Amino acid sequence: MSIFKRFIAMILVCVCSINILSTSVYAKECDISPYSLDGTTETVIIENITYRYDYYYIDGNRITKITNLNTNEIDTVLYVPIDGLLYLNDEVIGAVGPLGYTADGWQIMGSDTILITWGTGVAVAIVAGAISAGLGNLGAAGVIAAMGTTALSVLDASCVGGTIYRQLHMYPNPIQYRYQWRFRAPTGTYYGPYYYTV
């Protein structure tokens, strides 16, 4: 490759890196926190009956008002995370139980696995951006702060992707949510766990 082409490639990598690290992301654009439904409404047709779901939170409790638009009948489902109970019109109908508990007492509420890839020879900033995209609600700066540039450099040099393992944790009193995530390279090496609150 000629010196000119290398020079242009270095400038493009720098420009892309600056764009990834300096892009403004607003909470409303990527809010997937447990409270992201607050104040929203959905309309669904089930067996030729139209229902409207209104979601809101009061004192950390999730309330879903379900209106049958054909009859105007209203049912209210209340979820109280502190005890995990579900109420239908003020009567207990069930519970939402955790998948387990972490060593520090948080409830494991869900988990998922995300496969990500990137091209060979990309910059550390690109790897951080790819992992950030896989996580969905943590920016590249947060990935760099968690993993460090040394680990990201190793990933940059040794692989073209990997797997993110993510769990949602809830601490019931006071109610708090956090994500735990780990990255597994195709070599089998794990990085993490890392945490961030939502």
Side-chain angles (χ1 to χ4, degrees):
M1 183 187 282
S2 73
I3 293 175
F4 178 72
K5 286 183 181 179
R6 286 182 189 209
F7 178 73
I8 295 297
M10 285 180 10
I11 289 177
L12 287 174
V13 167
C14 289
V15 169
C16 289
S17 300
I18 290 168
N19 283 339
I20 286 175
L21 295 175
S22 66
T23 300
S24 297
V25 178
Y26 300 98
K28 194 67 176 165
E29 292 178 300
C30 62
D31 184 9
I32 61 169
S33 79
Y35 297 104
S36 62
L37 288 175
D38 192 25
T40 63
T41 299
E42 298 179 298
T43 302
V44 178
I45 299 173
I46 304 171
E47 298 176 350
N48 294 323
I49 300 172
T50 304
Y51 295 94
R52 186 181 69 229
Y53 292 80
D54 297 296
Y55 303 100
Y56 51 98
Y57 289 83
I58 296 177
D59 297 327
N61 300 323
R62 178 177 165 168
I63 299 166
T64 306
K65 185 172 87 172
I66 305 166
T67 306
N68 178 328
L69 295 178
N70 296 4
T71 65
N72 289 324
E73 182 180 331
I74 298 174
D75 289 308
T76 303
V77 176
L78 168 68
Y79 169 54
V80 181
I82 201 160
D83 59 13
L85 294 178
L86 281 174
Y87 295 83
L88 173 61
N89 301 327
D90 297 324
E91 291 185 34
V92 176
I93 61 165
V96 176
L99 300 172
Y101 294 87
T102 64
D104 57 352
W106 290 68
Q107 297 176 357
I108 302 170
M109 302 304 292
S111 64
D112 60 350
T113 303
I114 305 144
L115 179 65
I116 60 170
T117 61
W118 54 78
T120 57
V122 299
V124 168
I126 306 304
V127 173
I131 292 172
S132 169
L135 289 169
N137 58 352
L138 179 66
V143 171
I144 292 167
M147 296 185 74
T149 55
T150 303
L152 291 167
S153 295
V154 170
L155 294 177
D156 172 34
S158 65
C159 59
V160 292
T163 306
I164 297 171
Y165 298 92
R166 183 172 65 168
Q167 289 182 340
L168 175 63
H169 298 166
M170 181 186 78
Y171 196 81
N173 196 12
I175 296 172
Q176 301 171 57
Y177 292 91
R178 74 177 182 194
Y179 278 105
Q180 173 199 11
W181 63 278
R182 296 180 298 136
F183 183 83
R184 181 177 182 265
T187 60
T189 304
Y190 280 91
Y191 298 85
Y194 307 105
Y195 297 90
Y196 63 98
T197 57
V198 291

Coordinates of all heavy atoms in Angstrom, one line a residue, residues 38-87:
D38 N -43.1 4.2 30.8 CA -43.9 5.2 31.6 C -44.5 6.2 30.7 O -43.8 6.9 29.9 CB -42.9 5.8 32.6 CG -43.7 6.6 33.6 OD1 -44.9 6.3 33.9 OD2 -43.1 7.6 34.2
G39 N -45.8 6.4 30.8 CA -46.5 7.4 30.1 C -46.9 7.0 28.6 O -47.3 7.8 27.9
T40 N -46.7 5.7 28.3 CA -47.0 5.3 26.9 C -48.3 4.5 26.8 O -48.8 4.1 27.8 CB -45.8 4.4 26.3 OG1 -45.7 3.2 27.1 CG2 -44.5 5.2 26.4
T41 N -48.7 4.4 25.6 CA -50.0 3.7 25.3 C -49.8 2.8 24.1 O -49.1 3.2 23.1 CB -51.1 4.7 25.0 OG1 -51.3 5.5 26.2 CG2 -52.4 4.1 24.7
E42 N -50.4 1.7 24.1 CA -50.4 0.8 22.9 C -51.9 0.3 22.7 O -52.7 0.2 23.6 CB -49.6 -0.5 23.2 CG -48.2 -0.3 23.5 CD -47.5 -1.7 23.7 OE1 -47.9 -2.4 24.7 OE2 -46.6 -2.0 23.0
T43 N -52.2 0.1 21.4 CA -53.5 -0.5 21.1 C -53.2 -1.8 20.4 O -52.4 -1.9 19.4 CB -54.3 0.5 20.1 OG1 -54.4 1.7 20.8 CG2 -55.6 -0.1 19.8
V44 N -54.0 -2.9 20.8 CA -53.8 -4.2 20.3 C -55.1 -4.8 20.0 O -56.1 -4.6 20.8 CB -53.0 -5.1 21.3 CG1 -52.8 -6.5 20.9 CG2 -51.7 -4.5 21.7
I45 N -55.2 -5.6 18.9 CA -56.5 -6.3 18.6 C -56.2 -7.8 18.9 O -55.3 -8.4 18.4 CB -56.9 -6.1 17.2 CG1 -57.2 -4.7 16.9 CG2 -58.1 -7.0 16.8 CD1 -57.4 -4.3 15.5
I46 N -57.0 -8.4 19.8 CA -56.9 -9.8 20.2 C -58.3 -10.4 20.0 O -59.3 -10.0 20.6 CB -56.5 -9.9 21.7 CG1 -55.2 -9.2 21.9 CG2 -56.4 -11.4 22.1 CD1 -54.8 -9.1 23.4
E47 N -58.4 -11.4 19.1 CA -59.6 -12.1 18.8 C -60.8 -11.1 18.5 O -61.9 -11.2 19.1 CB -60.0 -13.0 20.0 CG -59.0 -14.1 20.2 CD -59.3 -15.0 21.4 OE1 -60.2 -14.7 22.2 OE2 -58.6 -16.0 21.5
N48 N -60.5 -10.1 17.6 CA -61.5 -9.1 17.2 C -61.9 -8.2 18.3 O -62.9 -7.5 18.1 CB -62.7 -9.8 16.5 CG -62.3 -10.5 15.2 OD1 -61.4 -10.0 14.5 ND2 -62.9 -11.6 15.0
I49 N -61.2 -8.1 19.4 CA -61.5 -7.1 20.4 C -60.3 -6.2 20.5 O -59.1 -6.6 20.6 CB -61.7 -7.8 21.8 CG1 -62.9 -8.8 21.7 CG2 -61.9 -6.8 22.9 CD1 -63.1 -9.6 22.9
T50 N -60.6 -4.9 20.5 CA -59.5 -3.9 20.6 C -59.3 -3.5 22.0 O -60.2 -3.1 22.7 CB -59.9 -2.6 19.7 OG1 -60.2 -3.1 18.4 CG2 -58.8 -1.6 19.7
Y51 N -58.0 -3.6 22.4 CA -57.6 -3.2 23.8 C -56.6 -2.0 23.7 O -55.8 -2.0 22.8 CB -56.9 -4.4 24.5 CG -57.8 -5.5 24.8 CD1 -57.9 -6.6 23.9 CD2 -58.6 -5.6 25.9 CE1 -58.7 -7.7 24.1 CE2 -59.4 -6.7 26.2 CZ -59.5 -7.7 25.2 OH -60.3 -8.8 25.5
R52 N -56.7 -1.1 24.7 CA -55.7 -0.1 24.8 C -55.0 -0.4 26.2 O -55.6 -0.5 27.2 CB -56.3 1.3 24.9 CG -55.2 2.4 24.9 CD -55.8 3.8 24.9 NE -56.4 4.0 26.2 CZ -57.6 4.5 26.4 NH1 -58.3 4.9 25.3 NH2 -58.1 4.7 27.6
Y53 N -53.6 -0.4 26.1 CA -52.8 -0.5 27.3 C -52.1 0.8 27.6 O -51.4 1.4 26.8 CB -51.7 -1.6 27.0 CG -52.2 -3.0 26.8 CD1 -52.7 -3.4 25.6 CD2 -52.1 -3.9 27.9 CE1 -53.2 -4.7 25.5 CE2 -52.5 -5.2 27.7 CZ -53.1 -5.6 26.5 OH -53.5 -6.9 26.3
D54 N -52.4 1.3 28.8 CA -51.8 2.5 29.3 C -50.8 2.1 30.4 O -51.2 1.5 31.4 CB -52.8 3.5 29.8 CG -53.8 4.0 28.8 OD1 -53.3 4.6 27.8 OD2 -55.0 3.6 28.9
Y55 N -49.5 2.6 30.2 CA -48.5 2.2 31.2 C -48.0 3.4 32.0 O -47.8 4.5 31.4 CB -47.3 1.6 30.5 CG -47.6 0.4 29.6 CD1 -47.7 0.6 28.2 CD2 -47.7 -0.8 30.1 CE1 -48.0 -0.5 27.4 CE2 -47.9 -1.9 29.3 CZ -48.1 -1.7 28.0 OH -48.4 -2.8 27.1
Y56 N -47.9 3.2 33.3 CA -47.3 4.3 34.1 C -46.8 3.7 35.4 O -47.0 2.5 35.7 CB -48.3 5.4 34.4 CG -49.7 5.0 34.9 CD1 -50.0 5.1 36.2 CD2 -50.7 4.6 34.0 CE1 -51.2 4.7 36.7 CE2 -51.9 4.2 34.5 CZ -52.2 4.3 35.8 OH -53.4 3.9 36.3
Y57 N -46.0 4.5 36.1 CA -45.4 4.1 37.4 C -45.8 5.0 38.5 O -45.8 6.3 38.3 CB -43.8 4.1 37.2 CG -43.4 3.0 36.3 CD1 -43.3 3.2 35.0 CD2 -42.9 1.8 36.9 CE1 -42.9 2.1 34.1 CE2 -42.5 0.8 36.1 CZ -42.5 0.9 34.7 OH -42.1 -0.1 33.9
I58 N -46.1 4.5 39.7 CA -46.3 5.2 40.9 C -45.5 4.6 42.0 O -45.7 3.4 42.2 CB -47.8 5.3 41.2 CG1 -48.6 6.0 40.1 CG2 -48.0 5.9 42.6 CD1 -50.1 6.0 40.4
D59 N -44.6 5.4 42.6 CA -43.8 4.9 43.7 C -43.0 3.6 43.3 O -42.8 2.7 44.1 CB -44.6 4.6 45.0 CG -45.2 5.9 45.5 OD1 -44.6 7.0 45.3 OD2 -46.3 5.8 46.0
G60 N -42.5 3.6 42.1 CA -41.7 2.4 41.6 C -42.6 1.2 41.2 O -42.0 0.2 40.7
N61 N -43.9 1.3 41.4 CA -44.8 0.2 41.0 C -45.3 0.4 39.6 O -45.7 1.5 39.2 CB -45.9 0.1 41.9 CG -45.5 -0.2 43.4 OD1 -44.5 -0.9 43.6 ND2 -46.2 0.5 44.3
R62 N -45.2 -0.7 38.8 CA -45.7 -0.6 37.4 C -47.2 -0.8 37.3 O -47.7 -1.9 37.8 CB -45.0 -1.6 36.5 CG -45.5 -1.6 35.1 CD -44.7 -2.5 34.2 NE -45.3 -2.7 33.0 CZ -44.8 -3.3 31.9 NH1 -43.6 -3.8 32.0 NH2 -45.5 -3.5 30.8
I63 N -47.9 0.1 36.7 CA -49.4 0.0 36.6 C -49.7 -0.1 35.1 O -49.2 0.7 34.3 CB -50.1 1.2 37.2 CG1 -49.7 1.2 38.7 CG2 -51.6 1.1 37.0 CD1 -50.1 2.4 39.4
T64 N -50.5 -1.1 34.7 CA -51.0 -1.2 33.3 C -52.5 -1.2 33.4 O -53.1 -2.1 34.0 CB -50.5 -2.6 32.7 OG1 -49.1 -2.7 32.9 CG2 -50.9 -2.7 31.3
K65 N -53.0 -0.2 32.8 CA -54.5 0.0 32.7 C -54.9 -0.6 31.3 O -54.4 -0.1 30.3 CB -54.9 1.4 32.8 CG -56.4 1.6 32.8 CD -56.8 3.0 33.2 CE -56.8 3.8 31.9 NZ -57.4 5.2 32.0
I66 N -55.7 -1.6 31.3 CA -56.1 -2.3 30.1 C -57.6 -2.0 29.8 O -58.5 -2.4 30.6 CB -56.0 -3.8 30.2 CG1 -54.5 -4.1 30.6 CG2 -56.3 -4.5 28.9 CD1 -54.3 -5.6 31.1
T67 N -57.9 -1.3 28.7 CA -59.2 -0.9 28.4 C -59.7 -1.7 27.2 O -59.1 -1.6 26.2 CB -59.3 0.6 28.1 OG1 -58.7 1.3 29.2 CG2 -60.7 1.1 27.9
N68 N -60.9 -2.4 27.4 CA -61.5 -3.0 26.3 C -62.3 -1.9 25.5 O -63.3 -1.4 26.0 CB -62.5 -4.1 26.8 CG -63.2 -4.8 25.7 OD1 -63.6 -4.2 24.6 ND2 -63.6 -6.1 25.9
L69 N -61.8 -1.5 24.4 CA -62.4 -0.4 23.7 C -63.8 -0.8 23.0 O -64.5 0.1 22.7 CB -61.5 0.1 22.6 CG -60.2 0.7 23.1 CD1 -59.3 1.2 22.0 CD2 -60.5 1.9 24.1
N70 N -64.1 -2.1 23.0 CA -65.5 -2.5 22.5 C -66.5 -2.3 23.5 O -67.7 -1.9 23.2 CB -65.4 -3.9 22.0 CG -64.5 -4.1 20.8 OD1 -63.8 -3.2 20.4 ND2 -64.5 -5.3 20.3
T71 N -66.2 -2.5 24.8 CA -67.1 -2.5 25.9 C -66.8 -1.4 26.9 O -67.6 -1.1 27.9 CB -67.2 -3.8 26.7 OG1 -65.9 -4.0 27.3 CG2 -67.5 -5.0 25.8
N72 N -65.7 -0.7 26.8 CA -65.1 0.3 27.8 C -64.9 -0.3 29.2 O -64.8 0.5 30.1 CB -66.1 1.5 27.8 CG -66.0 2.3 26.6 OD1 -64.9 2.5 26.0 ND2 -67.1 2.9 26.2
E73 N -64.8 -1.6 29.3 CA -64.4 -2.2 30.6 C -62.9 -2.0 30.8 O -62.1 -2.1 29.9 CB -64.7 -3.7 30.5 CG -64.5 -4.5 31.8 CD -64.8 -5.9 31.7 OE1 -65.7 -6.3 30.9 OE2 -64.1 -6.7 32.4
I74 N -62.6 -1.7 32.0 CA -61.2 -1.4 32.4 C -60.7 -2.4 33.5 O -61.4 -2.6 34.5 CB -61.0 0.1 32.9 CG1 -61.4 1.1 31.8 CG2 -59.6 0.3 33.4 CD1 -61.5 2.5 32.3
D75 N -59.6 -2.9 33.2 CA -58.9 -3.8 34.2 C -57.5 -3.1 34.5 O -56.9 -2.5 33.6 CB -58.6 -5.2 33.7 CG -59.9 -6.0 33.6 OD1 -60.6 -6.0 34.6 OD2 -60.2 -6.6 32.5
T76 N -57.1 -3.2 35.7 CA -55.8 -2.7 36.1 C -54.9 -3.8 36.7 O -55.3 -4.5 37.6 CB -56.0 -1.6 37.2 OG1 -56.8 -0.6 36.6 CG2 -54.6 -0.9 37.5
V77 N -53.7 -3.9 36.1 CA -52.7 -4.8 36.5 C -51.6 -4.0 37.2 O -51.0 -3.1 36.6 CB -52.1 -5.6 35.4 CG1 -50.9 -6.5 35.9 CG2 -53.2 -6.5 34.7
L78 N -51.3 -4.4 38.5 CA -50.3 -3.7 39.3 C -49.2 -4.7 39.6 O -49.4 -5.8 40.0 CB -50.9 -3.2 40.6 CG -49.9 -2.7 41.7 CD1 -49.3 -1.4 41.2 CD2 -50.7 -2.4 43.0
Y79 N -47.9 -4.2 39.3 CA -46.8 -5.1 39.6 C -46.0 -4.3 40.7 O -45.6 -3.2 40.5 CB -45.9 -5.3 38.4 CG -44.5 -5.9 38.7 CD1 -44.4 -7.1 39.5 CD2 -43.4 -5.3 38.3 CE1 -43.2 -7.6 39.8 CE2 -42.1 -5.9 38.6 CZ -42.1 -7.0 39.4 OH -40.8 -7.6 39.7
V80 N -45.8 -4.9 41.8 CA -45.0 -4.3 43.0 C -43.7 -5.1 43.0 O -43.6 -6.2 43.6 CB -45.8 -4.5 44.3 CG1 -45.1 -3.9 45.4 CG2 -47.2 -3.9 44.1
P81 N -42.6 -4.5 42.5 CA -41.3 -5.1 42.5 C -40.7 -5.5 43.8 O -40.0 -6.5 43.9 CB -40.4 -4.2 41.7 CG -41.3 -3.1 41.2 CD -42.6 -3.2 41.9
I82 N -41.1 -4.7 44.9 CA -40.5 -5.0 46.2 C -40.8 -6.4 46.7 O -40.0 -7.0 47.4 CB -40.8 -3.9 47.2 CG1 -39.8 -3.9 48.3 CG2 -42.2 -4.0 47.7 CD1 -39.7 -2.6 49.0
D83 N -42.0 -6.9 46.4 CA -42.4 -8.2 46.8 C -42.7 -9.2 45.6 O -42.9 -10.3 45.8 CB -43.6 -8.2 47.8 CG -44.8 -7.6 47.2 OD1 -44.9 -7.4 46.0 OD2 -45.7 -7.3 48.0
G84 N -42.6 -8.6 44.4 CA -42.8 -9.4 43.2 C -44.2 -9.8 42.9 O -44.5 -10.6 42.0
L85 N -45.2 -9.2 43.6 CA -46.6 -9.6 43.4 C -47.3 -8.9 42.2 O -47.0 -7.7 42.0 CB -47.4 -9.4 44.7 CG -47.0 -10.3 45.9 CD1 -47.8 -9.9 47.1 CD2 -47.1 -11.7 45.5
L86 N -48.2 -9.6 41.6 CA -49.0 -9.1 40.5 C -50.5 -9.0 41.0 O -51.0 -10.0 41.6 CB -49.0 -10.0 39.3 CG -47.8 -9.9 38.4 CD1 -48.0 -11.0 37.3 CD2 -47.8 -8.5 37.7
Y87 N -51.1 -7.8 40.8 CA -52.5 -7.7 41.3 C -53.3 -7.4 40.0 O -52.9 -6.6 39.1 CB -52.6 -6.5 42.2 CG -51.9 -6.6 43.5 CD1 -50.5 -6.3 43.6 CD2 -52.5 -7.0 44.7 CE1 -49.8 -6.5 44.8 CE2 -51.9 -7.1 45.9 CZ -50.5 -6.9 45.9 OH -49.9 -7.0 47.1

